[in-house]
Amino acid sequence: MPWVLLFLIAISSVWARDGAMIYAEHCASCHGDQGEGVAGEYEETLTGKKSLKALAKYIHKTMPEDNEDAVVDEDSLAVAKYIQEAFYSPEAQARLNPIRKSLLRRTQHQHRHALADLVADFRWRPFFKKESGLTTRYFNKEKMNNRKQELLVRTEPTISFDLTTEDIKDLTPEGFSIFWQGSLIPPETGIYHFRVRTPNGARLWINALENKSLPLIDAWVSSANQMRESSAQIFLLGGHAVPIRLDYISFKEKKSSIVLEWKPPHGTWEKIPQRQLNPAHSPQVAIVSTPFPPDDASLGYERGATISKAWKESVTQAALELTDQILGDLLQLAEVKKNDADAAKKIEAFCTTFAERAFGRPLSEKQRQTYIKEHFLTHPKRPEKAAKTSLLLTLTSPYFLYPELNRNAEGQADAYTYISRLALTLWDSLPDPQLIDAAKHDYFKHEENFQSHLDRMLKDPRAKHKMKRFFFHWLHLAEKSELNKDSKIFPDFNEQIVADLRASFSDFCESILWSEPSDYRQLFLSQNVPLSPRLKKFYPKPQFSAGLFTHPYVLSTFSYHRQTSPIHRGVYLSRNVLGRFLKPPPEAIAFKDSDFHPHLTMREKVTELTKATSCMTCHSIINPIGFGLENYDAVGRFRTHEGKKPINTVSQYPTPTDEIVEIKGPKDLAHQALYSPEAHQAFIKHLFHHLAQQPVNAYGSNKMRQLHEQFKSKQFHIQKLMREIARTSLQN
Amino acid sequence: MNARRQFLKKLGISTAALPFLNGLPSFAAEPEQQKQRLIIMFSPNGTVPDRFWPTDPTDPSSSPILAPLAPFRDQMTVIKGISNQVGGDGDRHMRGMSCLLTGSRLHPGNIQGGSDTPAGWASSLSIDQEIKNFLQKNPTTRTRFGSLEIGVAVPDRADPWTRMSYAGSNQPLAPLHDPYQMFKKLYGQAKNREALASVLDPLRSDLKKAAQLVATEDRQLLEQHLDLVRDLEQEISLTSDELSHPEPELDPHIELINDNTPQLARMQMDLLVNALANDMTRVSTLQFMRSVGQARMRWLGIDQGHHHISHQPDKDQDAQQQLEKINIWFAKQLTYLAKRLQDTPDPAIGGNLLQNTTIVWLNELGKGNSHTLDDLPIVLLGSRANLPASYHVLKQKTSHNRLLISLAHSFGHHLSHFGEKQLSQGGPLTFA
C-alpha cells in the first residue's frame, strides 16, 4: 500500500474518532446512535447526498438546533466526516444495507411481449420495405366480380379515397374496387380505435387474415349511399407489426369515397400516419388482451417484485387466452400436414419446443415428463387436448414467470441463463431461436460473437420499442398522460397538439439515440425538434435552444393548468436529469394562486412561498432551475413578459459540489446536464433501471463508477452504454 | 387420490353418469312456468312443389320430400298459401332471405345479384330477436344467451343473402357455423376450469422445487405464489359447472369444408339440443347454407352446386330428381333434430323437449327456377306455435308476416303487427 494512502486512512480514523465522540455527545439524542432517528425528536433517518463541505457548513450553521454554537468549524467538519462514512452517504448506506438482486417475475409488459414472441418464433418476422405506406390496387368491377380488371398498383401513404378529387385512368365510376394491404406498426401498447367512413362498401381486417377470419369492421353492405361510420377497437402491442387490409367497393352509387382513421393510445382521431404503415406482409401476432394489475413502481421504475391474487388471475387468464389462440392455429404452428400420420408426434414436438423457448433452455428429463409426456399419455388420441393442458402448464409455470429461475441442473447460471437475462434487458422478452442456438454452442465465450448478437439485438424492433418507453420513464412523463390546459387562455392547445407534442418528444429523443454518435449530450444541445404542421402553427417562433429542457412537451407537462410551475419543472428536472437528491418537503404546502397578489409574477410568488429556511434546503436547488425556464409559458411557448412585467430568469444555483453558479436560462441548465457527474449518473441509473429492473449497486458498489467512466470515455454514447448495461445484467 | 376424484367430480367432469339427478334442483325452481322454445330452420333455393306438398290431406307427411317426418305426423303442421309480399329493392333471393324473418323492406344499397336493383340490409329486427327480447325482459324466462344463431356450411361473408336474423335496422346477426366455436361459446369456461384444475398438481410441485433453488430472501415470493395456487384450486372447486345434460363429445377432426357438411350439421344440432336442454337459450335459428348457396352435395352423389341445379327448368328430369334428393336430405336433418329433442327429457317440466318446442322449417323461395315468393314451403313441428297439427291449404294468398305474428303469440307476446303494418293485417294465422 502506498504510504500516501496509509496516511489518509490514519488521518481519517483520527477524524472518525473525534467526529464519533462529538456526534455521540451533541447529535445522537435526536438522530439516534446510527442516524436512525429518535421518536418525538428527529424521526427521519439521517441520510443524504450533501458534499462533505456542504454538510459541514450546514452543521456549523444550524446544528444542534437548540445550541447552534456548540458544534462549529473543525468540529462540524469532523462530525460531517464521521456521519458521512458511518451512515449518511449513499455509499455508507450501500455498505450497511447491501443491495442484492431480487427475484423478479415478468412485468405485465414483459409478459405480453414474451407471449407474443413465443408464438411469433414459430411463424416469421416481417421484412419491412424502405418505402412506407400500403400496397394499393384498383380494379373495375364487372357484375359480381370485384376484381375484373386491374387498373393500377401503387404504394399509397394512407387509406383514403374520394372519387371527386382522385383521377384514376380508365376507372369506371359505376363500379370499381380498391384494396389496401400491408403492415400496421403500432407505436405503443394499448387499445386502438378504428373507424371507416364511407357511403359505399368496405371491410377491414387487422391482425387477422382475410381468408381465415371475420373482418374487424364489416361495412360491406351500403345503405342508400349514405355516409356511414363504422368503428371497432382492438388491443395491439407496441412495436409488433400486424397485418392490415381494407377492401373497398363502390357499385352503382353516386357518391364514392372512403377514409380509414384511427385513434391510438394517447392520440386523436386521424388518418393513420404513413410511417406506421408498410407494404410488407406481416404474420398474425398472438396478442393477449387480458388486463393485468399495474406493476410495483415504488422504486421509481416498474418491476415484478410483488405478486397478488389479481396478478395470478391475470396470468391464468392470459394463459387461457393464448392457449386458445394457439389451438385455433395448432396444425399450422406444429406444421401438421393434411392426413398427417405423425400429427400427434408433431404436436408433441411443438409443445416441447414451446416449453423450451418459454423456459429459455432444453427441458430436463423430469420436466419433459411433467410438461409434455404426461399430457400426451393422458390423451393418447386427442393431441389437441394434451396440447391444451401442456401449454397451460408451461404458461403458468414458475420457470416461465420468473426468468431468473432459468438455471442448470445444479442451480447454477450458465449460457442459457445469460441469454435469458440479455433478452429481458434489451427486448423485455424471451431469447429468440438464434440466441438459444448461441447458448447451445456456447458462442458467447468469444467476445466478437457476443458483440455481434448485441448488434443484432439493438437493431431489432423490440429494442427500439423498449427504448421508446425509456424517455418517458426517465423524465417521469409516463404517468402524466392527461395533459390539458385552460381553453380560455390557450384556446388552440387541444388534444391534437398534445398528441403531436408527445410524438415530437419521442421522435426527438429516439432520433438522437439511434443516430451514429448516439450522444447523450445532444439531448440537451440539439435544436432539431421535429414539428408537425399543426405544431409549426402553434409554435411559430420556436426557441428550442436546450434540447429537452426546452421541449414544449416537457415544459407544458410540468406546468399548471393556467400558469407555469417553476417548482414542478425544478423538482422533476433536478431529480431526474441533474441527479440532485431532494428530500420530501418537511411540510406539504400547496401552491394556491389566490393567496397571492395578482400583480406578482410567478417567480415572486414561488420565492415568497419557499422563503423559510427549512424550505430553502431544497428550494435553493429547485427554484433556480424553474426560474431559468420562466421564458416558457404553461404550453412551452417563448415569452419575454409575464403580464406586463419582464421576466427575470437569473438566479444563483448551488452545484452538487457547492459552488454557486449563475443560471441565466436553459443553456446554463444544459451545461449542468453536460458536465455534472451527478447528471450523468442519474441518466445511467435511470437507463439501468429501465433495462435491468435491478438497482445498479446490486452488481457491485463500484458498478456506477465503472459505467460512468466508460460512458465518459466513449463520448457519452448511449447505445454503447446500453451494451455495457446488458453485459452487466449477465452477472449473477 | 380420493380427494382429487371428489374435486374433479365437483367440476362436473364425471357428471355424465348423473344427468337426471342433477336436473332436480331446477325442477323445483320453476314448476309453474310453461316453457316455450323456438327453432327456426332454414334451407335455401326453393323446394320442388309437386314433390313437397302432401297428397293425403289428413297426413301432413304424405309427400316424397316430407316422408322422413312420418314419425312426427301427429305433431306436424304444413301450411300452403303463405307468401312473402315484401316489395322494394333487391332480387328475390335477397328479399326472400333478408325479409323472411323481418317482414319489412330492405334498405337501398350496393349489393346486386343477376337482376333487379341493388339493395342493402333489412330495415328492422327479425321475429326470433323480437321473441328473444320479449323473453329476456322477464326474469323467469331469461336465459344465458337469449338466442343462438347457428349455421351449417354458411360461408364467411356478410350480405343480404347470408343473413336472416337481425337485431335491428342495418344490424345483421352472423350465424356461427363452426361447431368448435359453438362448443367454446357454450362450454368454454367450464372446459377451461377443467383444464386448469388438471395442471395444479404439477404447478405446485414445481413451485416448491423452485423455492429450494433461490435465496431465502426470495423464497417468500414463491411461497406466496403457492398460496395463490391453492386459492385458485379452492375457487375452481366451488364453481359449479354442473349441467343437467352433459355436453356432447365432438369429433375433433372435422374440417369446415363442404364435404363434411353432414357431420357438421349433426354436431351443430347436437349442440343446439344440448343448449336447450341446459336452458342456455330458448330461441335459436339453424341456417343451412345461404340463399343462392352452391353446396355440392357429394354425399348424395350430386356434384353440381345447389343453386345452379335449382335454376334448371321443370322439364330437366335429372335436375328435378336431384332437387328432390336435396330437399329430402334437409327433411332428414329436421327429422334428426326432432328425434333428438323427443329423446331428451325436459328437466324442468317432465316429458320431452320436443313437446315444448316449436320448430319452423322455412325456405326463402317457393320454387327455385321461377324464383317465386309465393307458396313458401312451411313446416311446423313439436308444439307448432299452437297451430293445429294437419295440412292446411289457405284459401287465399296470405302474407308471411302473419305467420311471424303467430310465432310471437305462442310465447304470450301479443303483437298486433310485425314488420310492415299493411302486410300484418288479420293478425296471427287462423284456420277456418
Side-chain angles (χ1 to χ4, degrees), chain A residues 100 103 144 214 218 220-224 251-252 307 309 316 320 324 370-371 382 384 388-389 396 399 402, chain B residues 108-110 112 120-121 156 158 170 184 192 196 198-199 202-203 206 214 217-218 221 224-225 235 249 252:
Chain A
R100 51 185 292 282
L103 178 69
M144 306 279 280
L214 293 172
D218 191 334
W220 194 248
V221 179
S222 72
S223 194
F251 183 62
K252 292 197 178 172
I307 63 173
K309 194 169 171 198
T316 309
L320 284 167
D324 213 42
T370 314
Y371 284 85
R382 302 285 300 269
E384 73 293 334
K388 179 169 181 171
T389 50
T396 50
Y399 301 112
Y402 303 87
Chain B
N110 59 344
Q112 189 182 38
W121 295 120
D156 261 340
N170 274 326
K184 214 184 279 171
N192 282 343
L196 278 177
S198 77
V199 303
L203 197 56
D206 267 7
V214 301
E217 296 97 320
D218 294 327
L221 195 66
Q224 198 190 342
H225 194 150
E235 270 161 42
E249 275 279 322

Side-chain angles (χ1 to χ4, degrees), chain A residues 300 469-479 505 509 520 523-524 548-549 558 572-573 575-579 673 679-687 690 718:
Chain A
R469 297 173 61 237
F470 164 69
F471 295 102
F472 290 92
H473 286 170
W474 174 32
L475 297 186
H476 284 244
L477 294 163
E479 64 258 43
F505 169 77
C509 298
Y520 155 85
L523 292 168
F524 312 99
L548 46 81
F549 277 117
F558 300 130
Y572 281 91
L573 296 174
R575 265 201 190 136
N576 299 315
V577 180
L578 299 181
H680 306 158
Q681 292 188 9
F683 181 81
I684 295 169
K685 182 184 81 179
H686 281 108
L687 186 59
H690 183 76
I718 305 171

Side-chain angles (χ1 to χ4, degrees), chain A residues 298-533:
Chain A
S298 56
L299 297 184
Y301 56 98
E302 283 171 10
R303 49 184 217 140
T306 58
I307 63 173
S308 63
K309 194 169 171 198
W311 170 77
K312 172 78 180 106
E313 279 168 2
S314 296
V315 166
T316 309
Q317 208 48 49
L320 284 167
E321 199 185 336
L322 188 75
T323 304
D324 213 42
Q325 289 187 29
I326 293 174
L327 292 181
D329 197 24
L330 184 61
L331 300 186
Q332 191 128 25
L333 289 167
E335 295 176 20
V336 175
K337 295 190 191 75
K338 223 175 178 182
N339 303 319
D340 199 330
D342 290 333
K345 260 190 211 158
K346 285 184 176 172
I347 292 173
E348 188 173 335
F350 165 78
C351 290
T352 310
T353 312
F354 187 88
E356 286 180 346
R357 289 184 186 162
F359 302 166
R361 72 166 56 239
L363 301 183
S364 69
E365 204 32 61
K366 178 78 188 37
Q367 282 176 328
R368 192 176 288 270
Q369 196 64 33
T370 314
Y371 284 85
I372 313 296
K373 288 206 169 125
E374 272 178 23
H375 305 265
F376 285 85
L377 285 173
T378 314
H379 307 286
K381 296 209 170 122
R382 302 285 300 269
E384 73 293 334
K385 240 183 167 171
K388 179 169 181 171
T389 50
S390 165
L391 295 172
L392 272 181
L393 181 57
T394 297
L395 293 172
T396 50
S397 163
Y399 301 112
F400 170 62
L401 299 174
Y402 303 87
E404 268 301 303
L405 295 178
N406 183 350
R407 304 288 174 89
N408 69 13
E410 288 77 45
Q412 304 300 317
D414 62 8
Y416 291 107
T417 318
Y418 300 152
I419 56 164
S420 210
R421 290 172 182 166
L422 207 52
L424 209 57
T425 303
L426 291 180
W427 287 350
D428 268 343
S429 189
L430 300 158
D432 63 358
Q434 282 138 289
L435 283 169
I436 292 182
D437 197 55
K440 189 171 161 194
H441 298 102
D442 228 350
Y443 282 155
F444 291 152
K445 276 193 299 200
H446 307 288
E447 177 66 15
E448 69 268 26
N449 288 338
F450 179 65
Q451 290 298 340
S452 74
H453 270 280
L454 286 184
D455 285 342
R456 181 179 74 85
M457 292 182 79
L458 285 175
K459 282 185 192 131
D460 192 281
R462 285 167 277 194
K464 306 260 148 109
H465 182 66
K466 182 157 187 179
M467 285 307 288
K468 182 194 238 344
R469 297 173 61 237
F470 164 69
F471 295 102
F472 290 92
H473 286 170
W474 174 32
L475 297 186
H476 284 244
L477 294 163
E479 64 258 43
K480 307 217 177 288
S481 54
E482 286 296 313
L483 176 54
N484 57 61
K485 300 290 168 191
D486 190 318
S487 59
K488 282 192 196 118
I489 304 175
F490 308 104
D492 299 326
F493 194 81
N494 53 28
E495 271 189 334
Q496 290 172 324
I497 294 288
V498 174
D500 286 3
L501 277 181
R502 197 180 152 89
S504 162
F505 169 77
S506 202
D507 288 352
F508 173 78
C509 298
E510 284 173 74
S511 64
I512 291 169
L513 161 63
W514 298 112
S515 68
E516 196 65 36
S518 192
D519 190 341
Y520 155 85
R521 293 167 296 192
Q522 285 303 314
L523 292 168
F524 312 99
L525 293 174
S526 170
Q527 302 190 11
N528 295 329
V529 172
L531 294 180
S532 68

Side-chain angles (χ1 to χ4, degrees), chain A residues 128 183-188 192 236-242 262 272 275-278 282 461:
Chain A
F128 292 127
S183 298
L184 173 77
I185 307 156
E188 56 188 299
Y192 285 73
L236 296 174
L237 267 188
H240 283 265
V242 292
W262 78 346
I272 303 175
R275 62 187 185 148
Q276 310 301 148
L277 299 168
N278 195 282
S282 284

Side-chain angles (χ1 to χ4, degrees), chain B residues 225-241:
Chain B
H225 194 150
L226 202 56
D227 290 341
L228 292 171
V229 173
R230 272 188 212 110
D231 287 355
L232 179 66
E233 172 156 8
Q234 254 182 0
E235 270 161 42
I236 292 178
S237 70
L238 290 175
T239 312
S240 168
D241 292 319

